[in-house]
Amino acid sequence: MNFVPGGLFITLEGPDGAGKTTQMERLEDFLSRRGFAVECTREPGGTPLAEAIRRLLLEPCYGPVDARTEMLLYAAARAQHVAERIRPALDAGKIVLCDRFTDSSIAYQGYGRGLGIEMVRQVNRLATSGLLPDLTLLIDVPVELGLARLRGKGAADRIEGEALAFHRRVRQGYLELWHLEPRRICLIDGTGSPDAVWWQIKDVIVPWLEARGGD
């Protein structure tokens, strides 16, 4: 497949336990086999500095963390990530796949922590110099299902260990974002098997790429 150079930015979002990492690996393989140059990364993280901030954010021993502190730390990690890794990859004409981006901050800090959409958007607009994904795959699962999936994967991190009410606010935030931006955000039912979820994603990705010059 070929497409006009300039890079494409695809993010995967969803509540904890949605299965984003598994689907990103499948998507990377799918795109790479078709000749695309793909850069995979994650948030918070993706660079040495951002990974260090990730440890501060997710280790339970650093809690409790003020909601504004949390928002600003995520934004600081994101600013470095965009400058050092995401923007250069896009400028090189790559497809960048990112496990979480600004929508996560809006859902988790804006809705989950109650800071509000506008404050989080303004901070992240500064952190990213206005960079937004071209496409966001929102893998949605009920909160109880997502958290149940995580129980078999070891101890919960600081965010995963939050109260059920917090996770419900996060999920509701994601669904409201989808309603606000349905052209960018594509809702994927994450309740089925990994194969069933992947086929939904593939049904979105193939025509989306074709519309942008893929063949």
Side-chain angles (χ1 to χ4, degrees), residues 57 62-74 109 113 115 119 158-159 162:
L57 282 163
Y62 294 118
V65 178
D66 179 80
R68 291 163 300 177
T69 302
E70 186 178 86
M71 173 187 66
L72 292 168
L73 283 171
Y74 275 111
Q109 282 76 56
R113 301 294 188 206
L115 291 178
M119 177 189 291
R158 189 179 62 84
I159 302 296
E162 286 286 351

Side-chain angles (χ1 to χ4, degrees), residues 26-57:
R26 292 190 176 208
L27 184 54
E28 178 188 19
D29 181 68
F30 176 80
L31 294 171
S32 297
R33 288 175 180 271
R34 282 151 183 80
F36 290 108
V38 183
E39 181 89 5
C40 280
T41 189
R42 70 173 183 176
E43 290 210 342
T47 73
L49 177 59
E51 289 290 338
I53 295 174
R54 179 188 181 91
R55 290 191 289 274
L56 291 174
L57 282 163

Side-chain angles (χ1 to χ4, degrees), residues 22-23 26 149 190 192-201:
T22 297
Q23 297 305 324
R26 292 190 176 208
R149 288 174 174 176
S193 68
D195 285 343
V197 176
W198 166 242
W199 280 106
Q200 292 178 68
I201 291 174

